[in-house]
Amino acid sequence: MTITTRPSRSGPSLLGGSIDVPVNPCQHEAPRSVQSWTGEPGTVGSVALVGAGKMGLPLAAQFAGHGWQVTAVDVNPAVVDAINEGRSHVAEEPGLVEAVAEAHASGRLRATTNGTEAARSVDVVVVIVPVMLNDRQQPDYRYMDAAVEAVGPGLHPGSLVVFETTLPVGDTRGRFTPALEAASGLKVEDDLFVAFSPERLLSGHVFQNLATYPKLVGGIGPASTARAAAFYASVLDAEVVAMSKAEAAEFAKLAETTYRDVNIALANEFANYAERVGVDILEVISAANSQPYSHIHQPGIGVGGHCIPVYPHFLLSRAPEMTLVDASRKANDGQVDRAIATLEGALDGLEGVEVLVLGLTYRDGVKELAYSRAIPLIDGLHARGARVLAFDPLLDAGEVVQVGAVPWPWGSAAPSVRAIVTQTADPAWASLDPAWFAELRVVLDGRNSLGDLALPAGIDYHGIGVPSRTGG
Ligand SMILES: NC(=O)c1ccc[n+]([C@@H]2O[C@H](COP(=O)([O-])OP(=O)(O)OC[C@H]3O[C@@H](n4cnc5c(N)ncnc54)[C@H](O)[C@@H]3O)[C@@H](O)[C@H]2O)c1
C-alpha cells in the first residue's frame, strides 16, 4: 500500500512507535569548576558513575564532555582497565569509542573498582547497574544492593545519589534511601540528597537520545529533586522535567515501557486475526496509524531485551491486579510457540528437521542476549526434535554454541536446512540467497523484514500477520 501524504510537520512515522525528535543544540556556556558542587547554575563538580556498561559508559562520557570530573565505577576489572586506557568496551554504540577516548584524553574520565573511595571523592553518585528478574519473575536486586552497599559508606554531607536503573515504584524511598542513610549516618533532604531519574535511552542511539529525550527527575523531597535537576541541566542538552516525587518518576519509566509491551501484544493479536481473515496487518497498521491518535506498534516473534519484557513484571510484582499487563506479557511470549507451530504445520513435524535461526540477540545491532526470544525459540525447536543452526553477525561461533545452536557461517552451503526463522530484522538478511539451501521449504519471517525476498518455486513464506505465499 502507498499512502500519499504531504510531509508531516511533526514527522511521526506511519509505522508507529518511531517518532523523530529534533536534537537540541548544546547551549551550555563554559562551566566553572567548583570544589563542593551545590547545584549553582553554570558550575560543575565531580561525579561517580556506578555501572559502566552499555548505558553507564556513554553517560560517563557525556558527563565528562560537559566539564564534570568523572570516576566510572565497575566491578568488572576488564571494564575499568579499558576505560583507564581510554578504550570503550562497548563497540556497537555510535560515537562512544571516540567519546571515551576524548574524555580520557581530557583527563576528566578515570575508572576504579572501589565504589566507596569513589563516592568519598565526588559530589554526585549516579547508579546504573542492572536490576533484572529472578526465576520467580520478581526483581533481582543483587547488583543494586551491592552497589548501594559499596557507595553508602563513602557518602558525605552534601552528597547527591541518583538512581537511573529502572526500579519498582517505591524502591528509591523504601529500599535504597534507608540503606544509604544507615551506611553514611546522613539524613536525606538534610545533608544527603537522593533522587530517581530513569534512563530512557535506546542502545544504538544513545547520544542522539541524550540530546532529545526529556530527562525525568523525581527526588525523595524538594531539595533532592532540585539538586538532581540542576545536575542534569548541567550535563544534558535536553529538557529536564522535575517531577513531584521519586515514585512518579519510577512509575513513568514503568508506564512508558509497559505501554509498549501491551501495544505490541495488541499488534500481535491483531496480526493473528489478520492471518485468519486473510488481511495484511502491515497495511492495516499503516492505515490505522494515519489517524494521529493511533500508534499501533509492529507485531513480531516476541519481545526481548532487559527492558520491555522485564518492567511489566516490576509493576506486576507490586500490582498483581494489572491483568492487562499480565495478559500482554503472556501474549508476547506466546509468539514463539505460534511460530514453532507454523513450522510444524508447514513441514509435518520437526523431528530430525534442520532449522536455521537468523539473529540471536534480542534485536539487530545490539549485542545483548538478555531475554532474547531466540533462546526459547531454540529450546522449543530442540524439544520437537529439530536440529538448530544459527547465525548472528554480532556473535562468534563460540557464542552461538553457548546459546545452544550449531554455528552456520554466513553464505556457506547448508543443503539440509529445511526451514529458516528470522528472529531479528538485521538488514543483512536482504542478501540471503535461497540457493545456499538446496532443501529449503519454509521461511518464517519473525520480524516481517523479508517481504520482498525472491523465493524459488516450492518455498513457502510466512510472516507475522501478513499473507503467506509460495515462491516461484
Ligand atoms: N540497555 C538498555 O537498552 C537500557 C535502556 C534504558 C535503561 N537501561 C537501564 O540501565 C541498566 C543497566 O543497563 P546496561 O545495558 O548498561 O547494563 P550492562 O549489563 O551493559 O552494564 C552493567 C554494568 O554494571 C556493572 N556492575 C554490576 N554490578 C555492579 C556493582 N555492584 N557495582 C558496579 N558495577 C556493577 C557490570 O559489570 C556492567 O559493566 C538497566 O538495568 C536498565 O535499568 C538500559
Side-chain angles (χ1 to χ4, degrees), residues 2-343:
T2 310
I3 296 180
T4 309
T5 56
R6 282 183 223 99
S8 160
R9 246 182 272 156
S10 56
S13 158
L14 291 178
L15 288 176
S18 64
I19 296 179
D20 288 330
V21 201
V23 170
N24 294 302
C26 181
Q27 292 179 340
H28 291 95
E29 309 265 312
R32 184 164 57 84
S33 274
V34 292
Q35 272 304 323
S36 288
W37 183 81
T38 56
E40 192 193 328
T43 63
V44 293
S46 52
V47 55
L49 187 292
V50 184
K54 283 185 289 300
M55 290 296 125
L57 188 56
L59 289 180
Q62 173 83 12
F63 300 163
H66 281 70
W68 282 75
Q69 203 62 43
V70 182
T71 306
V73 180
D74 204 289
V75 287
N76 184 343
V79 167
V80 168
D81 289 348
I83 296 170
N84 283 332
E85 289 162 18
R87 286 188 292 110
S88 164
H89 66 99
V90 180
E92 296 85 30
E93 189 60 50
L96 183 58
V97 168
E98 300 79 0
V100 169
E102 202 177 309
H104 178 260
S106 73
R108 286 201 293 270
L109 175 61
R110 68 174 196 98
T112 176
T113 53
N114 191 328
T116 309
E117 287 279 294
R120 190 168 287 130
S121 65
V122 298
D123 306 304
V124 180
V125 177
V126 173
V127 188
I128 185 155
V129 302
V131 171
M132 305 228 256
L133 292 173
N134 62 23
D135 49 15
R136 288 172 293 110
Q137 311 284 47
Q138 297 296 309
D140 178 347
Y141 294 107
R142 82 184 86 156
Y143 302 119
M144 185 57 93
D145 283 345
V148 166
E149 202 176 304
V151 298
L155 299 176
H156 48 83
S159 286
L160 164 67
V161 180
V162 186
F163 293 93
E164 290 215 18
T165 300
T166 308
L167 295 174
V169 177
D171 275 359
T172 305
R173 187 185 307 273
R175 185 181 181 100
F176 298 118
T177 299
L180 293 173
E181 286 184 319
S184 65
L186 302 169
K187 182 88 191 87
V188 73
E189 285 289 284
D190 184 0
D191 50 4
L192 171 67
F193 306 98
V194 181
F196 178 79
S197 179
E199 196 42 81
R200 313 165 80 194
L201 310 171
L202 191 65
S203 278
H205 305 265
V206 162
F207 288 110
Q208 193 196 11
N209 294 168
L210 279 169
T212 52
Y213 291 180
K215 187 69 172 145
L216 311 179
V217 180
I220 292 301
S224 295
T225 305
R227 184 73 66 106
F231 170 69
Y232 286 110
S234 78
V235 293
L236 298 177
D237 304 315
E239 181 187 0
V240 176
V241 180
M243 298 184 72
S244 59
K245 49 166 119 170
E247 288 79 357
E250 290 167 335
F251 197 175
K253 171 73 184 186
L254 298 182
E256 76 189 33
T257 47
T258 302
Y259 158 78
R260 288 166 62 196
D261 201 45
V262 174
N263 190 324
I264 294 166
L266 187 65
N268 283 331
E269 282 206 336
F270 286 169
N272 298 340
Y273 177 57
E275 281 177 26
R276 184 146 68 81
V277 293
V279 168
D280 184 335
I281 194 63
L282 301 184
E283 182 187 7
V284 171
I285 291 174
S286 283
N289 286 355
S290 65
Q291 207 285 350
Y293 290 93
S294 179
H295 305 283
I296 305 167
H297 288 10
Q298 294 295 298
I301 196 166
V303 180
H306 57 47
C307 293
I308 307 294
V310 170
Y311 303 148
H313 288 294
F314 284 13
L315 277 177
L316 288 167
S317 72
R318 306 292 156 87
E321 69 276 14
M322 291 194 185
T323 51
L324 195 58
V325 173
D326 188 37
S328 300
R329 262 304 54 246
K330 291 184 173 121
N332 287 338
D333 279 355
Q335 288 294 99
V336 161
D337 287 336
R338 273 188 68 89
I340 293 173
T342 300
L343 286 185

Side-chain angles (χ1 to χ4, degrees), residues 330-387:
K330 291 184 173 121
N332 287 338
D333 279 355
Q335 288 294 99
V336 161
D337 287 336
R338 273 188 68 89
I340 293 173
T342 300
L343 286 185
E344 269 185 312
L347 294 167
D348 289 331
L350 291 169
E351 188 62 47
V353 169
E354 206 161 270
V355 180
L356 172 63
V357 175
L358 293 178
L360 297 176
T361 57
Y362 82 92
R363 74 175 160 90
D364 56 283
V366 182
K367 190 171 175 180
E368 175 64 72
L369 285 163
Y371 300 94
S372 169
R373 299 309 290 161
I375 294 158
L377 174 65
I378 291 170
D379 289 349
L381 290 167
H382 280 150
R384 285 157 185 85
R387 178 169 190 267

